[in-house]
Amino acid sequence: MIVKSRLTKVLGPFVGKRKTAVARLVVRPGTGKIFINNQPLEYFGNELVRAKILTPLYFNEKFWKSHDFDVKVRGGGVVAIADAVSFAIARALASKSEAVKQRIKEYNRVLLAGDPRQAEPKKPNRYSARRFKQKSYR
C-alpha cells in the first residue's frame, strides 16, 4: 500500500536531447538529490558541467529541495550529457508551474525548446564533413 501511494506522486518521464545524448528524467518526492545513471551528481564531470545541470533548478528551489531527480542518460560526451539533463529538468519544472516556465523562457529559451544543432555527417571520398582533397596540377 505504501509503495502504491508513492508511485502516484512520480512525475515523468521528461526527455532532454543534445547531439547524440538522450536524458530521461523521473522526478520523485525526496530531499533534493540528483542521480545520473545511479551515481550522485557530485561524481559527474567538473564544476562547470555540474553548474550547467543545476541552472534550471534555481528557478524553483522549493520544488528542487522537496524532490529527487533520477536521470538515465545514453550517448554523447560529458557536456552534451549535461545539456540534455538540464533540458529534461527544465521541462519538468515548466510542467509544474506556468510562472516558472515563463522565467525559464526569459532566461534561456533553449532550455525548453532544445538545441537543434547536430554534427554534420562525413561526406563520401573526403576526410571529414567539409574538407576536400587537395590537388596539385604541377
Side-chain angles (χ1 to χ4, degrees):
M1 232 31 190
I2 295 171
V3 174
K4 195 173 193 180
S5 65
R6 184 170 181 204
L7 288 176
T8 59
K9 296 183 180 182
V10 171
L11 299 173
F14 299 98
V15 178
K17 295 180 182 180
R18 174 72 173 108
K19 292 187 176 180
T20 58
V22 179
R24 290 176 179 84
L25 169 72
V26 176
V27 182
R28 293 183 174 88
T31 58
K33 295 177 185 166
I34 300 171
F35 292 97
I36 299 175
N37 292 338
N38 296 323
Q39 297 282 329
L41 180 63
E42 292 78 32
Y43 295 141
F44 183 78
N46 58 22
E47 273 186 53
L48 294 173
V49 172
R50 287 192 293 268
K52 186 174 273 213
I53 292 171
L54 294 176
T55 300
L57 291 170
Y58 291 113
F59 291 105
N60 193 351
E61 290 193 37
K62 185 178 178 185
F63 182 78
W64 174 18
K65 301 298 181 189
S66 63
H67 289 83
D68 288 341
F69 300 87
D70 187 25
V71 187
K72 304 287 186 223
V73 187
R74 288 189 160 270
V78 176
V79 176
I81 288 173
D83 280 337
V85 171
S86 66
F87 293 162
I89 291 172
R91 288 180 178 159
L93 294 174
S95 73
K96 289 297 289 179
S97 169
E98 191 65 36
V100 172
K101 182 177 181 178
Q102 284 303 108
R103 287 176 48 205
I104 292 173
K105 217 181 256 189
E106 288 171 11
Y107 175 75
N108 187 357
R109 184 186 170 279
V110 173
L111 283 175
L112 293 176
D115 195 344
R117 295 177 294 172
Q118 291 284 327
E120 190 171 339
K122 181 186 167 293
K123 306 300 186 299
N125 302 324
R126 295 193 204 168
Y127 293 113
S128 66
R130 297 279 178 162
R131 184 177 167 202
F132 285 95
K133 291 182 180 176
Q134 290 184 338
K135 292 186 178 179
S136 174
Y137 293 103
R138 290 179 229 184

